[in-house]
Amino acid sequence: MKKTVDVAVPIGPVHPCWKEPIRIKCATKGEQVLSAEVELGYMKKGIERIMQGRPWQEVMFLAERVCGICSVVHNMVFIETMEAISGIEPAERAAFLRVIVNELDRMQSHLIANFSYCYTIEHETLGMYLLNEREHVMDLLERITGNRVNTAYMIPGGVRYDLRPDDADAVKATLDLLEKNITRYMGIFESGPMIALRSRGVGVLTKEDALRAHAVGPTARASGISVDLRSKHPTYRKLGFEPVVRTECDNYARIMVRFGELFQSIGLIRRALAMMPEGPVRGGGICKGGEVRYSGEAPRGELTYVVKADRYGRVEEIAIQTPSIMNIDACAHYMLKGALSIADVTATFISSDPCVACTER
């Protein structure tokens, strides 16, 4: 009797749809994916080891080089960790400026994530539209902080630079343009029949499976889990923050959550500009010794820094837990298991917005 032979299909580590190198090994039977395993280890930097023994002034710059796509939140979470260790309260105006810059960074990250997905399912026109909108956001980051990627904008007790009136006007005008354009592009995504075929009901991650895999960020919120650490942040609570949640649990839902969060970020920035008090942007304070575990909401989910510093502010020990490792695991063991076509593997993996640079550090 002839036996059907299952085939192992490797995807990556170099693939036209990957932003970074990673390998997915799929066990298949015909077109169906029986199981998948992710192979990491292609870009480890050892950055946590490099941070040890260095003063916080150097670690601050290293932190935002963990990842280029979400560098601002690494800067913010590390600085807020040092503030928690040292009992430093940021200046009130600076707290609102941090929200503005952090949400701009979230917007550019979500735009490149949704671009990557559209590119993967071969809707290159929509992908390029989204990538063009990201450039407007990057221009705002450069205008406010002085740089597009590695900004080093947050410092203990505040931020480096104040927001000038003409910069605030530029932010408002650009947000109006972004809101108009992204509304149109989200409509294209919602109504596109080819997008629906490649996205709806594909890469399903049920709420129960998301909880088992400890999925975080938009990946979890697309499966009905209403968890977002911004809800606990005092400045975000002043701005009336509410998480964006969907229940379709598929590729479509994950992209739509990011679209929803783009509009949410626009609203948060507008309210921050309107409510921001006058005053200094640097509250002062000296970094001290201690040990703290502190978490913040990165574009991909919960980002945690565990820092032990000596009395001079030198980092003796540091551990970073980034969100993508949980989402990559959720993708490999739940979203891809039983996929009807090997062609859906790349799109499903990209829908979880994996950040390999963060994961491997």
Side-chain angles (χ1 to χ4, degrees):
M1 182 176 176
K2 189 175 180 180
K3 183 180 178 182
T4 302
V5 178
D6 296 338
V7 178
V9 179
I11 301 175
V14 179
H15 189 279
C17 295
W18 288 176
K19 299 194 294 281
E20 301 159 287
I22 192 168
R23 190 182 190 206
I24 302 176
K25 295 181 284 187
C26 301
T28 65
K29 187 172 185 178
E31 274 289 297
Q32 186 179 16
V33 178
L34 301 176
S35 64
E37 291 293 333
V38 172
E39 186 179 273
L40 296 164
Y42 293 94
M43 58 183 299
K44 183 169 174 60
K45 301 187 287 286
I47 201 162
E48 287 159 309
R49 179 64 185 86
I50 297 169
M51 290 172 169
Q52 290 179 14
R54 296 180 182 271
W56 69 263
Q57 293 95 330
E58 293 182 15
V59 176
M60 175 184 72
F61 291 106
L62 287 167
E64 62 180 0
R65 283 161 175 79
V66 170
C67 173
I69 299 175
C70 47
S71 57
V72 169
V73 77
H74 278 278
N75 172 215
M76 182 172 172
V77 171
F78 173 71
I79 291 298
E80 291 187 348
T81 303
M82 293 305 299
E83 288 175 343
I85 288 173
S86 309
I88 298 172
E89 286 291 330
E92 192 175 1
R93 182 175 175 86
F96 283 87
L97 288 170
R98 287 181 180 185
V99 168
I100 290 170
V101 172
N102 191 40
E103 290 308 308
L104 287 172
D105 190 57
R106 190 180 313 278
M107 289 180 69
Q108 64 83 17
S109 178
H110 281 358
L111 284 165
I112 201 170
N114 284 6
F115 149 76
S116 298
Y117 183 79
C118 292
Y119 181 79
T120 303
I121 62 171
E122 298 179 47
H123 201 315
E124 294 183 16
T125 302
L126 180 54
M128 293 309 296
Y129 283 156
L130 295 173
L131 203 60
N132 186 60
E133 298 309 311
R134 179 177 181 266
E135 286 304 302
H136 296 309
V137 180
M138 299 302 289
D139 289 343
L140 288 180
L141 281 170
E142 183 179 18
R143 181 163 188 155
I144 295 170
T145 69
N147 208 342
R148 286 165 57 91
V149 180
N150 295 320
T151 65
Y153 186 63
M154 288 76 164
I155 57 174
V159 297
R160 287 188 182 277
Y161 313 114
D162 201 353
L163 186 70
R164 299 172 299 186
D166 57 329
D167 292 339
D169 292 339
V171 171
K172 292 173 186 175
T174 304
L175 290 180
D176 291 342
L177 176 66
L178 288 166
E179 186 175 47
K180 176 185 173 184
N181 291 344
I182 294 170
T183 299
R184 179 187 169 216
Y185 303 145
M186 187 175 74
I188 294 172
F189 188 89
E190 284 182 298
S191 60
M194 184 271 285
I195 292 171
L197 286 170
R198 296 296 305 273
S199 307
R200 292 182 185 271
V202 178
V204 172
L205 177 69
T206 65
K207 185 175 182 178
E208 295 72 24
D209 288 342
L211 290 169
R212 285 191 199 97
H214 303 284
V216 292
T219 300
R221 292 191 286 275
S223 294
I225 299 174
S226 180
V227 175
D228 191 315
L229 293 183
R230 289 175 289 176
S231 302
K232 301 179 181 179
H233 194 285
T235 310
Y236 280 95
R237 295 215 313 249
K238 291 177 186 176
L239 297 171
F241 175 81
E242 291 290 338
V244 176
V245 181
R246 296 187 74 100
T247 57
E248 296 97 327
C249 306
D250 53 12
N251 290 359
Y252 173 82
R254 289 185 279 276
I255 303 306
M256 288 302 294
V257 164
R258 293 189 188 95
F259 272 124
E261 291 189 358
L262 286 168
F263 293 109
Q264 180 186 61
S265 294
I266 290 171
L268 287 168
I269 295 168
R270 284 173 174 161
R271 291 196 293 277
L273 289 169
M275 296 170 61
M276 187 163 50
E278 296 296 327
V281 297
R282 300 190 185 194
I286 299 173
C287 288
K288 302 174 184 177
E291 185 173 0
V292 162
R293 177 187 179 93
Y294 184 87
S295 299
E297 186 72 19
R300 290 158 185 80
E302 181 180 335
L303 171 65
T304 300
Y305 272 67
V306 182
V307 177
K308 181 180 179 182
D310 67 15
R311 61 195 181 99
Y312 301 107
R314 285 192 297 254
V315 173
E316 294 182 324
E317 296 177 19
I318 186 167
I320 307 169
Q321 179 179 297
T322 60
S324 285
I325 187 65
M326 288 83 81
N327 294 336
I328 289 172
D329 185 72
C331 179
H333 296 131
Y334 296 100
M335 298 182 206
L336 296 179
K337 187 176 181 180
L340 296 178
S341 173
I342 192 72
D344 292 328
V345 171
T346 52
T348 300
F349 183 67
I350 290 296
S351 77
S352 66
D353 191 17
C355 182
V356 179
C358 277
T359 301
E360 300 196 1
R361 294 187 296 287

